[in-house]
Amino acid sequence: STAVAVASRRLYSTEQPLPTPGSATADPKIASIVDQIESLTLLQTSELVSQLKTRLNIQDIAMPVGMPMGGMPAGGAAAAPVEEEKPAEKTEFNIKIDKVDASAKAKVIREVKNLAGLSLVDAKKFVESVPKVLKESVPKEEAEKLKKALEALGATVQLE
């Protein structure tokens, strides 16, 4: 029973501050293990991981398909050189009203009111202060549809 008491005293001892990872005051036993792991080949490291999982009863955690590891976008480093060679096609656009014909102002104000969910007064102020972005990050199909609708009413619209 004295061996258990000594072991538990060591385990829960607060006499020495806990070392932080990477600090110079790390436990020499841990530092030795880290050095040994660093010298392993890839196959040996894989075997070590397998044995640790078996002995410590650690189960594999399945990563969701849509969640790439490390928080990187899917295809992270591999996709970067491809993007430099050929820019990806833009899929989201900002809808910007450049100008409005004076004769069609009332129709455009009503459409802006409905599209942006603004009050009539705010929609009127918006239309009078163009050029201005109406909507941001709109999918391509919707952006083109809104552009045609606004241009049919008498507004000059630009997709950015």
Side-chain angles (χ1 to χ4, degrees), residues 108-124:
V108 174
I109 289 172
R110 268 185 258 134
E111 190 65 21
V112 166
K113 176 183 173 282
N114 295 333
L115 289 174
L118 300 173
S119 69
L120 189 59
V121 173
D122 290 337
K124 183 176 186 261

Side-chain angles (χ1 to χ4, degrees), residues 48-79:
L48 172 66
V49 170
S50 298
Q51 286 188 20
L52 285 172
K53 284 181 181 179
T54 303
R55 287 193 187 176
L56 300 175
N57 196 22
I58 299 172
Q59 297 177 356
D60 287 335
I61 299 173
M63 293 293 292
V65 175
M67 175 85 55
M69 288 181 56
M72 290 189 60

Side-chain angles (χ1 to χ4, degrees), residues 77-115:
V82 176
E83 289 178 19
E84 290 175 12
E85 295 170 14
K86 179 186 172 197
E89 184 179 332
K90 195 171 180 181
T91 58
E92 291 188 341
F93 295 89
N94 295 339
I95 301 171
K96 181 179 179 182
I97 300 177
D98 286 330
K99 60 182 177 179
V100 177
D101 290 339
S103 61
K105 197 175 192 179
K107 294 176 190 174
V108 174
I109 289 172
R110 268 185 258 134
E111 190 65 21
V112 166
K113 176 183 173 282
N114 295 333
L115 289 174

Side-chain angles (χ1 to χ4, degrees), residues 36-55:
Q36 290 176 3
I37 291 173
E38 277 183 336
S39 68
L40 295 177
T41 65
L42 191 57
L43 291 173
Q44 291 170 329
T45 306
S46 175
E47 180 63 29
L48 172 66
V49 170
S50 298
Q51 286 188 20
L52 285 172
K53 284 181 181 179
T54 303
R55 287 193 187 176

